[in-house]
């Protein structure tokens, strides 16, 4: 083997040390057997290696997918074999949704989960998962429910906290955070080895410390939901899982690819993640995707090809087959600490504060955080996505209007509010809708311009259409009505910055005079307007 392949092989072994405890913990979050998470990481990781193209992506169970799966299964009120069957069908449907989107070349749909939504979701999800790991660190059990119920349970039972479990969990967390400053050292793998050795050397349950329990591969006893009504309901519930998985995975892949000048196709990655989820469903695993923490760790460890992630999946298979007994004795507080350490990067307020500083979308991000914390993972994510789409629609339906003025005697025309040194031309009013004119906003935008134009003393109104490279049928009608209304008020309308497609569609709609009188620049329109008004 060449040196890079050997290096990627060693990187893969280190990644297996991170994926194993995380997968076991994510299975607990989802309320499923640990073996399902291991099977998902193995089958999904190998399938992605055959189809995907990201050299840093590590496809395995993720915290967000586990949390959404848990919320989805809870909404179905199923237990026992029925719950296991529903989980498998949800994973399979998630994979089919990915493949369908890839076939239809709809990779751009990931953009509907905006980055502020993802940042707020990740922040709220990190808080949620970390809080849910605290009982394992404290060595007690508390009622399930919202994170506020978990925190209340921890506070009520503070006297019952198990000191050895607390010390073990906090020490593990401190070591992991300290080793993070030395990325060349595989901290998760070292901690995992220590956890296995400790479990083998000490009878931890006799000292009151919980252990992971059986984590071997196996087929859970499942009951399959074949009714048409139930399958239709599952398809609806699988859609949010697919949406957040691809948004999270594509965000991870794209971020890491841009750092190194790699090129990725979103539609191919859709197919790859879909194939990985179908492979996971075949082995009755969990939903899988490319998590940011694992991908970043793979990059930091020096991965140079997909062989690193593939080696990690093969190493997990070897561990599950040959070392399941040792893994079963890993202390629960150490598992919880590994998960908490992996999620601490998402607790940085920097990305959210950046949105506040630039005064853009911070409300959407905050809504995502609060939605996840108060409504739960699934409903919180859906609320944040809905708010993001509603905000986009509101901005589309209510574009701002700028009145333009001339800078000196040149050809530059700028917003008068932002550039007080600019001046109006005598007898001419120049307006620009700051957005594409479409059916949703044409009446609102042009109605506002018409009112301002009538209130002015201008004899000529110039409408700059630089933001509109085309017009739909509604916008065409509104532009014609706008022109006719101002002409009745004794004002002439000239279209400036009219694109060729706009001219063509106006001419086809019978507005030949308006189309032929339009100009390619505001300066040209202003010059013509000055001649008319003079």
């Amino acid at each position: 083997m060449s040196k890079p392949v050997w290096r990627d092989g060693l990187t893969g072994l280190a990644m297996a040390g991170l994926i194993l405890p995380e997968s076991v913990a994510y299975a607990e979050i989802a309320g499923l057997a640990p073996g399902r998470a291991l099977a998902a990481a193995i089958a999904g990781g190998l399938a992605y290696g055959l189809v995907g193209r990201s050299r840093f992506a590590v496809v395995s169970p993720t915290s967000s997918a586990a949390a959404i799966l848990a919320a989805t299964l809870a909404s179905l009120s199923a237990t026992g074999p029925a719950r296991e069957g529903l989980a498998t069908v949800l994973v399979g449907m998630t994979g089919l949704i990915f493949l369908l989107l890839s076939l239809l070349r709809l990779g751009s749909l990931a953009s509907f989960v905006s980055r502020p939504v993802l940042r707020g979701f990740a922040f709220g999800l990190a808080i949620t998962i970390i809080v849910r790991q605290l009982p394992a660190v404290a060595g007690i059990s508390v009622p399930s429910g919202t994170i506020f119920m978990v925190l209340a349970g921890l506070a009520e039972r503070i006297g019952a906290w198990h000191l050895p479990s607390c010390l073990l969990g906090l020490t593990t967390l401190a070591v992991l955070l300290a080793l993070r400053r030395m990325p060349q050292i595989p901290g998760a793998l070292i901690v995992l080895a220590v956890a296995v050795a400790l479990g083998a050397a000490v009878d931890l349950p006799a000292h009151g410390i919980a252990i992971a329990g059986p984590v071997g591969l196996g087929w859970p006893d499942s009951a399959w939901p074949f009714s048409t009504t139930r399958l239709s309901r599952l398809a609806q519930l699988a859609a949010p899982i697919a949406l957040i998985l691809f948004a999270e995975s594509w965000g991870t892949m794209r971020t890491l690819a841009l750092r190194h000048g790699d090129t990725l196709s979103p539609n191919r990655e859709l197919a790859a993640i879909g194939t990985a989820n179908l492979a996971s469903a075949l082995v009755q695993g969990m939903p899988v995707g490319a998590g940011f923490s694992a991908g970043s760790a793979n990059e930091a460890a020096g991965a140079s090809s997909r062989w690193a992630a593939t080696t990690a999946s093969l190493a997990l298979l070897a561990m599950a087959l040959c070392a399941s007994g040792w893994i079963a004795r890993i202390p629960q507080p150490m598992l919880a600490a590994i998960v908490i350490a992996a999620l601490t990067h998402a607790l940085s307020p920097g990305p959210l504060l950046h949105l506040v500083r630039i005064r853009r979308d911070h409300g959407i991000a905050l809504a995502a955080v609060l939605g996840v914390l108060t409504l739960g993972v699934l409903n919180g994510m859906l609320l944040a996505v809905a708010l993001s789409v509603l905000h986009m629609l509101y901005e589309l339906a209510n574009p701002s209007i700028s009145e333009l003025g001339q800078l000196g005697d040149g050809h530059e025309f700028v917003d008068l509010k932002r550039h007080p040194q600019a001046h109006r031309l005598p007898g001419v009013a120049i307006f620009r809708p700051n957005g594409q004119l479409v059916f949703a906003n044409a009446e609102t935008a042009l109605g506002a311009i018409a009112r301002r134009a009538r209130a002015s003393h201008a004899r000529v109104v110039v409408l700059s259409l630089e933001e509109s490279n085309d017009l739909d049928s509604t916008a065409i009608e509104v532009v014609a009505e706008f022109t006719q209304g101002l002409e009745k008020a004794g004002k002439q309308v000239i279209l400036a910055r009219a694109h060729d497609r706009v001219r063509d569609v106006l001419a086809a709609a019978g507005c030949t005079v308006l189309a032929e009188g339009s100009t390619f620049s505001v300066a040209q329109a202003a010059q013509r307007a000055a001649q008319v008004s003079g």
Side-chain angles (χ1 to χ4, degrees), residues 348-362:
S348 170
L352 301 181
L353 293 177
H354 172 70
L355 297 176
V356 175
R357 284 194 296 270
I358 65 175
R359 299 180 182 178
R360 290 292 185 275
D361 302 324
H362 51 281

Side-chain angles (χ1 to χ4, degrees), residues 137-140 158-170 207-209 333:
V137 175
I140 62 173
I158 192 169
W161 289 14
H162 190 243
L163 184 59
S165 296
C166 292
L167 291 175
L168 184 59
L170 293 175
H207 293 82
I209 299 176

Side-chain angles (χ1 to χ4, degrees), residues 54-357:
S54 172
R55 56 173 162 153
F56 300 115
V58 178
V59 174
S60 61
T62 69
S63 56
S64 57
I68 293 178
L69 180 62
T72 302
L73 293 174
S75 70
L76 295 171
S77 303
T79 58
R83 178 184 174 87
E84 299 288 344
L86 289 172
T88 300
V89 173
L90 279 170
V91 177
M93 285 186 168
T94 299
L96 290 175
I97 290 173
F98 276 118
L99 291 179
L100 178 62
L101 293 177
S102 175
L103 182 64
L104 297 176
R105 305 189 66 79
L106 295 177
S108 59
L109 283 180
S111 301
F112 279 90
V113 183
S114 65
R115 294 187 182 186
V117 167
L118 278 179
R119 287 166 183 157
F121 177 79
F123 192 84
L125 182 64
I127 294 175
T128 299
I129 295 176
I130 287 173
V131 168
R132 294 188 185 281
Q133 295 302 308
L134 295 180
V137 175
I140 62 173
S141 60
V142 298
S144 60
T146 66
I147 64 168
F148 303 106
M149 295 174 63
V150 174
L151 291 172
L154 284 167
E156 289 174 1
R157 300 198 59 196
I158 192 169
W161 289 14
H162 190 243
L163 184 59
S165 296
C166 292
L167 291 175
L168 184 59
L170 293 175
T171 301
T172 302
L173 180 60
V175 170
L176 285 169
L177 295 179
L179 290 177
R180 181 176 292 176
R181 299 182 178 182
M182 297 173 281
Q184 69 276 13
I185 298 178
L189 185 61
I190 293 173
V191 168
L192 181 64
V194 172
V196 170
L198 181 62
V202 180
D203 186 2
L204 295 172
H207 293 82
I209 299 176
I211 58 176
V215 292
L217 300 176
W219 296 96
D221 185 16
S222 303
W224 305 105
F226 287 124
S227 70
T228 303
T229 303
R230 178 58 66 87
L231 289 176
S232 175
R233 172 65 174 156
L234 289 176
Q236 297 173 26
L237 293 173
I241 299 176
L243 179 63
I244 194 63
L245 261 180
F246 185 60
E248 178 184 34
S249 300
W250 178 244
T252 297
M253 295 172 183
R254 186 172 182 274
T255 298
L256 297 177
L258 288 175
R259 289 180 187 172
H260 298 268
D262 297 343
T263 302
L264 296 176
S265 165
N267 292 303
R268 185 182 184 101
E269 297 308 319
L270 271 172
I273 299 174
T275 303
N277 277 281
L278 283 180
S280 178
L282 289 176
V283 297
Q284 298 196 44
M286 293 173 54
V288 293
F292 186 75
S293 59
S296 298
N298 197 26
E299 177 198 32
S304 60
S305 71
R306 293 191 302 281
W307 176 244
T310 301
T311 301
S313 296
L314 295 173
L316 284 176
L317 177 61
M319 291 182 195
L321 294 176
C322 305
S324 60
W326 291 349
I327 298 171
R329 292 194 288 269
I330 294 176
Q332 280 281 13
M334 297 186 74
L335 277 178
I338 292 174
V339 174
I340 292 173
L343 290 169
T344 52
H345 74 280
L347 291 179
S348 170
L352 301 181
L353 293 177
H354 172 70
L355 297 176
V356 175
R357 284 194 296 270

Side-chain angles (χ1 to χ4, degrees), residues 382-468:
L382 292 177
L383 172 65
V385 172
L387 288 175
S388 183
V389 173
L390 287 174
H391 182 261
M392 177 189 69
L393 293 176
Y394 177 82
E395 293 293 326
L396 175 66
N398 297 276
S400 62
I401 306 297
S402 295
E403 183 177 0
L404 306 183
Q406 186 178 23
L407 280 176
D409 297 324
H411 290 74
E412 292 84 11
F413 285 80
V414 295
D415 190 335
L416 287 168
K417 287 186 177 180
R418 299 183 64 87
H419 300 273
Q421 69 273 29
H423 61 88
R424 294 180 176 87
L425 297 181
V428 181
I430 307 173
F431 297 98
R432 180 185 65 204
N434 295 313
Q436 170 91 18
L437 286 182
V438 295
F439 69 92
N441 63 20
E443 289 193 23
T444 301
L446 294 187
I449 292 175
R451 288 190 294 272
R452 293 172 64 176
R454 286 192 179 95
S456 71
H457 297 292
R459 293 180 55 193
V460 180
V461 176
V462 175
L463 178 64
S464 177
L465 295 178
E466 60 192 87
E467 301 289 345
S468 299

